[in-house]
Amino acid sequence: MSLQGKTAVVTGSNSGIGLGVAWELAKAGANVVLNSFTDRDEDHELAKTMAAETGVEVRYIKADMSKGAECRDLIEQAGACDILVNNAGIQHVAPISEFPVDKWDAIIAINMNSAFHTTAAALPKMRAAGWGRVVNIASAHGLTASPFKSAYVSAKHGVVGMTKVVALETAQEPITANAICPGYVLTPLVEAQIPDTMKEYDMSREDVIKNVMLERQPSKEFATVEQLGGTVVFLCSDAATQITGTTISVDGGWTAL
Ligand code: NAD
């Protein structure tokens, strides 16, 4: 399928799932705006490499998704925004009574509030263009819970709820809004959780991977960033025109349990 002529903005896309999604969208022909809160040479190099390998236009725009004004400014700077992938996210693991307030605020801001700001700024552009796709990268934790992840689970449930509202508000327009709910994908975000989880459960790294992370993933395999990217591309295809306001789990059977 070709997304030629479309512009995709992927928040939090200099690493992990966002980067994988950006690659698949670029390979499908969309021009891509990469984003994170850093402004390093390697961020801009990433854009150059992706453009050279896929032949589409790729820009890197620095914007901190913990700040509402910067979220909105990202969409303004992008110019067109036909496909919006709200992916930026962070994690912190601690029992709720000890959960640091600054971590709670940051997770709610980056993982949930940013999607409100970018969507609010992007919808007028999609309406003007006569086509749009909002894809929120939620989580299996947008549908179920785990201990020690109060902020993350709250933010991801919030994103799933927001997705439904956006879908209803755009239901009679050529715009769809959906959430993808991945199970565990081995990215830097997951890698960073391993030491904390080892401490919480007093387990070795191997036991955390097998008995905590993939314990609830019946396939016993991590999902890949390419699979997530392919799911986003599918949601941008004509076949997905009537798919709106729903969640697609890419979780090896986790939420079937
Ligand atoms: P990651 O750490 O590899 O990537 C997170 C991205 O967000 C990075 O590009 C980072 O730079 C960016 N980011 C962080 N704070 C930001 C900020 N303030 N402003 C702008 N960008 C910021 O993690 P990932 O695993 O690829 O996670 C991506 C998304 O997928 C997150 O929303 C996460 O909750 C979700 N998710 C991940 C998994 C998994 O197993 N990895 C599972 C379910 C959902």
Side-chain angles (χ1 to χ4, degrees), residues 10-14 34-39 43 60-64:
V10 186
T11 71
S13 47
N14 65 352
L34 298 172
N35 153 263
S36 185
F37 60 95
T38 50
D39 198 11
D43 296 324
Y60 177 86
I61 301 178
K62 170 193 182 274
D64 184 345

Side-chain angles (χ1 to χ4, degrees), residues 33-53:
V33 173
L34 298 172
N35 153 263
S36 185
F37 60 95
T38 50
D39 198 11
R40 306 165 302 181
D41 288 348
E42 62 200 84
D43 296 324
H44 297 277
E45 283 304 317
L46 207 49
K48 280 190 201 146
T49 305
M50 197 177 284
E53 288 193 20

Side-chain angles (χ1 to χ4, degrees), residues 12 14-15 17 36 64-65 87 138 152 156 183 185 187-190:
N14 65 352
S15 156
I17 293 172
S36 185
D64 184 345
M65 293 299 103
N87 168 79
Y152 189 85
K156 295 298 187 183
V185 188
T187 63
L189 178 140
V190 167

Side-chain angles (χ1 to χ4, degrees), residues 184 190 193-194 208-209 211-217 222:
Y184 272 105
V190 167
Q193 284 175 59
I194 295 175
V208 162
I209 291 175
N211 299 325
V212 181
M213 294 182 161
L214 297 183
E215 192 260 331
R216 290 167 76 183
Q217 199 144 309
F222 286 110

Side-chain angles (χ1 to χ4, degrees), residues 3-254:
L3 295 174
Q4 207 172 2
K6 308 289 188 204
T7 297
V9 179
V10 186
T11 71
S13 47
N14 65 352
S15 156
I17 293 172
L19 183 56
V21 166
W23 270 109
E24 296 308 311
L25 286 167
K27 286 190 220 158
N31 296 323
V32 169
V33 173
L34 298 172
N35 153 263
S36 185
F37 60 95
T38 50
D39 198 11
R40 306 165 302 181
D41 288 348
E42 62 200 84
D43 296 324
H44 297 277
E45 283 304 317
L46 207 49
K48 280 190 201 146
T49 305
M50 197 177 284
E53 288 193 20
T54 59
V56 299
E57 282 176 31
V58 185
R59 282 175 292 155
Y60 177 86
I61 301 178
K62 170 193 182 274
D64 184 345
M65 293 299 103
S66 71
K67 301 190 168 78
E70 292 195 29
C71 297
R72 289 170 188 259
D73 195 48
L74 168 66
I75 305 302
E76 287 322 309
Q77 283 192 53
C81 180
D82 307 296
I83 299 163
L84 170 63
V85 183
N86 287 305
N87 168 79
I90 58 167
Q91 174 64 286
H92 186 79
V93 180
I96 194 161
S97 53
E98 291 154 31
F99 209 91
V101 174
D102 62 335
K103 296 280 187 207
W104 171 276
D105 289 343
I107 290 173
I108 298 295
I110 296 167
N111 296 21
M112 185 180 77
N113 295 351
S114 67
F116 158 65
H117 293 293
T118 54
T119 304
L123 281 181
K125 290 175 183 258
M126 293 178 182
R127 287 183 170 126
W131 189 90
R133 294 285 184 269
V134 178
V135 183
N136 294 324
I137 306 299
S139 168
H141 283 116
L143 304 169
T144 62
S146 294
F148 313 126
K149 296 185 178 176
S150 53
Y152 189 85
V153 169
S154 301
K156 295 298 187 183
H157 275 70
V159 163
V160 168
M162 197 191 316
T163 305
K164 295 177 187 175
V165 174
V166 176
L168 292 179
E169 291 187 9
T170 58
Q172 294 183 18
E173 301 175 77
I175 296 172
T176 68
N178 293 288
I180 296 177
C181 294
Y184 272 105
V185 188
L186 195 55
T187 63
L189 178 140
V190 167
E191 193 60 54
Q193 284 175 59
I194 295 175
D196 282 350
T197 313
M198 284 167 67
K199 224 188 295 168
E200 290 294 346
Y201 289 93
D202 192 21
M203 280 183 181
S204 68
R205 178 185 164 86
E206 292 65 35
D207 283 346
V208 162
I209 291 175
K210 200 167 134 227
N211 299 325
V212 181
M213 294 182 161
L214 297 183
E215 192 260 331
R216 290 167 76 183
Q217 199 144 309
S219 65
K220 299 293 170 205
E221 285 183 26
F222 286 110
T224 68
V225 299
E226 291 79 10
Q227 290 161 2
L228 271 308
T231 309
V232 174
V233 171
F234 164 67
L235 285 172
C236 294
S237 71
D238 290 343
T241 300
Q242 284 298 316
I243 300 177
T244 195
T246 196
T247 56
I248 298 186
S249 291
V250 183
D251 66 2
W254 177 335

